[in-house]
Amino acid sequence: MQDFSSYRRVVVKVGTSTLTHATGHLDLRRIETLVRVLADFRNQGREVVLVSSGAVSAGIARLGVDHRPRSTEEKQALAAVGQSQLMKLYERLFSDYGYCVGQILLTRDVMDSPTRRKHAEQTFETLLSLGCIPIVNENDSVSSEGINFGGNDTLSAYVAMVCHADLLVNLSDVDGLYDRDPRRDASARLIPQVDRVTDDLLAIAGGAGTERGTGGMATKLEAARMVTEAGISMIIANGADPLILYNITDERKFGTFFSAQPAH
Ligand code: GLU
């Protein structure tokens, strides 16, 4: 494994199940801890990009809706409300540590269009050069099934590539990649390092996500395959306590590390 000090530009993706309580309301303790650690990473001289889910869930909680969205229109509207909730909180918390945030909402077609992708790349670069912390989500209010990223695991892989990141950290409600499904098999063992994401490995990853988020292990592994082939390392760790990010910098146990593939 590489020495973490060589990772200057880091993308951290945090899922809905980590950012919200079972009630759907934002988990303020976790979010505050996350922001403090990311601000501290900036203090260490690293560049940080946050890919945050939680917009739909925060919208449901803000409006007091008692169900998950039943239609595309409802989901889009809830995301519009929740996204502003999220940004209001991030703006306030990061500015407490002297950092400025910038919101970037992406849609799949931006990635598919070379011109628009280039513009996104330049915006990230400029925000980072200004010392800002870009906060990214899918633009759920104008995106829908079939033309979307299919969840923020995939979005975060694109973001890592567009930003030319050194490392992508996926903070989720799982400890990492196991050799068997740990929810079904108590003898499942965590795999600390993966040198190459193969088809065999993809086959052992179950598909199901959590109730409030959308990502399962399969989408995380697909994301790992994409970024490692693009020369970016990735980590899957449990975001229940965002202080786990320090385990990475301090080279203590954290989850599963996926090595970047050497350029050919
Ligand atoms: N973009 C969605 C949101 O912010 C989350 C997608 C996902 O959980 O992967 O609510």
Side-chain angles (χ1 to χ4, degrees):
M1 196 199 302
Q2 255 178 298
D3 160 20
F4 191 82
S5 59
S6 65
Y7 298 127
R8 192 175 138 66
R9 187 170 289 185
V10 182
V11 174
V12 177
K13 181 262 173 187
V14 192
T16 299
S17 52
T18 300
L19 295 169
T20 59
H21 291 289
T23 58
H25 284 277
L26 296 174
D27 188 327
L28 298 176
R29 182 167 54 177
R30 278 196 192 143
I31 295 176
E32 288 182 4
T33 309
L34 173 73
V35 168
R36 182 154 52 84
V37 179
L38 295 182
D40 203 23
F41 276 14
R42 288 284 295 116
N43 288 350
Q44 292 169 351
R46 299 180 206 281
E47 292 172 324
V48 172
V49 176
L50 174 62
V51 177
S52 171
S53 303
V56 176
S57 198
I60 291 173
R62 178 72 178 89
L63 293 170
V65 175
D66 62 1
H67 55 265
R68 294 290 307 167
R70 293 181 178 135
S71 65
T72 300
E73 293 77 6
E74 198 179 17
K75 183 179 171 200
Q76 291 171 328
L78 290 167
V81 172
Q83 184 64 26
S84 4
Q85 294 296 303
L86 279 173
M87 287 312 295
K88 188 170 77 172
L89 188 58
Y90 284 131
E91 163 59 33
R92 185 168 68 69
L93 295 175
F94 275 110
S95 52
D96 278 353
Y97 297 106
Y99 290 107
C100 176
V101 300
Q103 171 182 257
I104 300 193
L105 298 178
L106 291 171
T107 45
R108 179 69 198 234
D109 54 318
V110 173
M111 294 297 120
D112 296 338
S113 149
T115 315
R116 300 186 70 201
R117 184 173 169 140
K118 188 83 202 151
H119 283 298
E121 191 175 321
Q122 285 162 349
T123 308
F124 276 115
E125 210 53 61
T126 308
L127 277 173
L128 290 168
S129 71
L130 290 169
C132 289
I133 296 172
I135 301 189
V136 193
N137 197 355
E138 178 156 12
N139 194 350
D140 294 306
S141 298
V142 297
S143 186
S144 60
E145 204 73 40
I147 56 161
N148 57 2
F149 285 100
N152 281 8
D153 290 329
T154 312
L155 169 67
S156 66
Y158 278 103
V159 170
M161 293 189 295
V162 166
C163 292
H164 306 285
D166 302 307
L167 177 71
L168 168 62
V169 181
N170 188 317
L171 289 182
S172 164
D173 56 358
V174 291
D175 293 338
L177 177 67
Y178 283 82
D179 57 356
R180 267 158 289 171
D181 186 344
R183 291 169 300 187
R184 289 198 201 111
D185 189 340
S187 63
R189 280 214 302 244
L190 185 82
I191 303 173
Q193 176 153 350
V194 173
D195 292 324
R196 185 177 280 273
V197 182
T198 59
D199 291 337
D200 289 347
L201 205 57
L202 282 164
I204 65 167
T210 57
E211 201 187 320
R212 280 166 291 135
T214 53
M217 191 47 79
T219 54
K220 289 175 183 50
L221 278 187
E222 288 290 0
R225 172 130 86 176
M226 276 170 71
V227 297
T228 53
E229 285 180 359
I232 302 165
S233 298
M234 178 167 146
I235 284 169
I236 298 176
N238 197 323
D241 182 0
L243 291 175
I244 199 165
L245 288 165
Y246 284 126
N247 287 22
I248 301 169
T249 50
D250 300 347
E251 292 175 31
R252 284 183 280 128
K253 270 195 184 163
F254 51 74
T256 304
F257 177 81
F258 298 83
S259 319
Q261 298 300 307
H264 10 254

